[in-house]
Amino acid sequence: MKSASISKRLIELNGIKLVPTQQSNHTVYYAHSGTLDDLSDGQTLFNHLSKVSDIAGQNAQWFGAEELATYAGLLHDLGKYCPEFLKRLQGGKVRVDHATAGAKIANERWQQMGKLLAFCIAGHHTGLANGIDEGQQRSTLDERLKLKFGDDIPDLDPVWQQEIKLPAHLTLPALKPHKIWPGFQLAFFTRMIFSCLIDADRKDTNNYYLRLEGKEREPIYPSIQALRQRFNAKLEEVRQKLAVQPPKRINQLRQRILDHSRKQAELPPGLFSLTVPTGGGKTYTSMAFALDHAIAHQLRRIIYVIPFTSIIEQNAKVFKEAFDDLADAVIEHHSAFDDTNLPNNNARDNLKRAMETWDAPIIVTTAVQFFESLFADRPSQCRKLHNIAGSVIILDEAQTLPLKLLRPIMAALDELALNYRCSIVLCTATQPALKKDNGFINGFENVREISPDPLALFTELERVTVKNIGEQTDEQLLSHLQEKQQVLFIANNRRHARSLYDSMKKLKLEGATHLTTLMCAKHRSQILEKVRDDLLQGKPCRLVSTSLIEAGVDVDFPCVLRAEAGLDSIAQAAGRCNREGKRERKDSEVLVFQSPDWRAPPELEQLAGNMRQVMRNHSGNLLSPGALTSYFNAVYWSKGDELDKKKILETHNNHCRKLSFPFQNIARDFRMIETCLKPVIIAFDDNAAKLLQDLEFAENVGGIARQLQVYLVQIPEQGFKELLRVGAVESIKPEKFGDQFWRLTDPDLYDKEAGLSWDKESLVFMEAKKTIF
């Protein structure tokens, strides 16, 4: 910074006066060190605070909180105004708490608003803390605010008060109030301010080091308008291809759904539903609506939320192909590898790491990543939150939202639509009954349907007959699989699916195929490609799978056998039968059965009981919107308070009056998948082997980690421990990556037909092999 020129003028930043001091009269404080020992190429603290406050204020514009975010930026590194931190930058080993000072100043000066900022400032490195002691290891905000200048944290040089001018009062933006959960609303707002600050701090720090190294900054993405132009060209290309083919009713229906839905894009932002039967073209339709809606209301991005990692690559590929040469605008964010957690004490290496900010115009992510981030406490997870504001959010397969967290999820979606300029699209063939007029207590209101007359659509697209065939032993199920040349069997658990597949192999049934999450995504993609080819050519194809095939996988069988489950699962299974409407309804059966050999787990059995109840009361089409509404009503009524099993919303309200929100506990409790899974990399092909080799010598692992995602198998903790015990897995470069990356060392445990095994027989064989060799 050229202080001689800067000191003669007054800098105004968003109306906030910053007056840099003259270097000749005062010590110059620095935020970051460069390459020179005398800090002459370092970033001055004044420069850093100025830029962070500017970026944070810009980040908060989408929800009217520029003032609070700007002051959070100004105060976040206030604790660096001390000789101790200068010494640290010059090689000193003493740790300096530089975050608490700004939190204390904010809390003392602005009371309630100050305390919300204090959460953000104090946690901008460690994460949002609990307000008061709730049994966590991280220091609470209350403990941090009690620290004393001069004793517990360094005294600040009074020069900061000359450089930063603070107002007497701050006010909360005019949020539309939440009548039932005001505590949740305030905590949600705090996370958004935290996000603005985290992103601004990381971005300015990164920019400083990029300038120092002469490197480029962030990429420039195409506009939503340019993306719609490409997408429209793709839709026209598809339409022209279909025009030269014999007309099909299904294609005409898809076009009608698309045209009608696009006309709804002019409706005001808020809550929407897109209820389209399986095979009705909802993927293209939802994206077309989102692009039109974003342009009509000047929204800035589209976030496509998919329930399972097993299909995220499939959907992202569809969109990238549609956007053609603008495909780089589509960013996939998976939860399998979070490379921001790699242990590395070198600050600059840390800055080079891929940090997911969600600033691209199209984001394709998982429900786990999306919702857990909204309730998170860690900076790496929260950084992207402010970029959700001003988005069209498409929830694909909305019925898969976990019941134990349904109310907190609904509160978050409601708040995004209410105060953060978001439109939410609940997109599914099996629409959950979440609306107040469905009878859901405190349910969604004013949800607009995008598609034309869902009931009529389901009648027109009625392509299967659902039958309950009662109890079926494995022997009887094998008879069904023998009788039918092309059939899909869906089990409720992996062990049943594997057992039946092994039995088919013993009988040498032609076309016996297995699909399971114990295969890596690359393997599953190859199997599905062959399955589609066999089905198209009329070859025998007997596919045994778990429920993963129900999540948007495009296959078309003449018959489906489905173990009893919830009605939404039955409906999704039916979507894999006569998908293209090529057969008569009477020749396309979905056979629902109970297995006396493989009982369903208690929760699934409860959902199956709700399904049976609806089946008794709906003698007509079991898959109609009316039947599904009855089913979901029964499920929600039976769950009651368990729709917020960890009492997350109640916890927010209980801490509202004193603004003592337990952010760390809330993040711990909001877990969509509580089973601890460990990703293991499978050297499935030559490309995987090369990536594993590259990983060992890579400086920046973000790109390699993302490419390796298709070679991962997620293993339950107990299974992982067994593999570790017998030496079947090993950590990759633990001195460099910690325990982030694990690979399978024994290829014999990964079967090219059935995926990974860690059953007793396989492990005994492996141990015996090790003894022999």
Side-chain angles (χ1 to χ4, degrees), residues 573-588:
R576 315 309 128 196
C577 181
N578 197 21
R579 188 179 181 86
E580 296 298 323
K582 296 176 182 177
R583 308 172 192 85
E584 293 295 322
R585 182 189 171 201
K586 62 182 178 60
D587 298 324
S588 307

Side-chain angles (χ1 to χ4, degrees), residues 571-702:
Q572 291 297 320
R576 315 309 128 196
C577 181
N578 197 21
R579 188 179 181 86
E580 296 298 323
K582 296 176 182 177
R583 308 172 192 85
E584 293 295 322
R585 182 189 171 201
K586 62 182 178 60
D587 298 324
S588 307
E589 293 183 325
V590 177
L591 306 177
V592 181
F593 66 89
Q594 286 179 296
S595 173
D597 303 316
W598 304 86
R599 291 294 182 186
E603 182 151 337
L604 197 57
E605 176 56 36
Q606 184 179 346
L607 298 178
N610 295 136
M611 184 272 296
R612 289 192 292 269
Q613 177 185 340
V614 173
M615 186 174 281
R616 288 192 295 269
N617 297 333
H618 283 264
S619 56
N621 187 357
L622 188 63
L623 306 181
S624 69
L628 285 162
T629 297
S630 297
Y631 164 75
F632 282 116
N633 282 339
V635 170
Y636 301 149
W637 181 86
S638 64
K639 289 293 180 184
D641 290 342
E642 288 191 18
L643 296 178
D644 184 4
K645 193 170 184 178
K646 297 291 181 71
K647 302 189 182 300
I648 288 170
L649 293 176
E650 186 179 316
T651 297
H652 280 93
N653 270 11
N654 290 344
H655 292 81
C656 183
R657 188 173 62 85
K658 294 184 178 181
L659 300 180
S660 56
F661 303 115
F663 285 106
Q664 200 175 357
N665 287 2
I666 290 165
R668 176 202 63 198
D669 291 341
F670 192 96
R671 285 286 179 267
M672 293 182 70
I673 303 174
E674 292 193 31
T675 305
C676 183
L677 299 175
K678 195 76 174 176
V680 173
I681 304 167
I682 309 297
F684 179 70
D685 55 22
D686 291 342
N687 185 51
K690 182 181 182 302
L691 288 169
L692 282 166
Q693 187 176 12
D694 292 345
L695 181 63
E696 292 196 35
F697 303 100
E699 290 299 321
N700 187 351
V701 303

Side-chain angles (χ1 to χ4, degrees), residues 32 139 217 219 293 300 387 406 408 432 540 578 623 645 670 723:
H32 304 109
S139 296
R217 301 191 190 183
H293 188 69
R300 55 179 174 166
N387 276 329
L406 187 58
N578 197 21
L623 306 181
K645 193 170 184 178
F670 192 96
L723 292 173

Side-chain angles (χ1 to χ4, degrees), residues 244-255:
V244 298
Q245 298 176 7
K248 293 182 181 178
R249 189 165 65 92
I250 183 67
N251 293 331
Q252 294 169 346
L253 198 57
R254 286 170 182 162
Q255 189 64 46

Side-chain angles (χ1 to χ4, degrees), residues 5 57 85 91 113 121 126 139 215 241 265 276 312 328 336 356 393 429 443 478 492 504 555 621 728 753:
S5 61
F85 191 77
M113 288 303 96
I121 295 166
T126 57
S139 296
K215 295 183 179 180
K241 283 182 180 178
V276 177
I312 191 170
D328 286 346
E356 306 293 352
I393 301 164
L478 278 170
N492 278 330
M504 283 201 301
V555 291
N621 187 357
E753 293 184 346

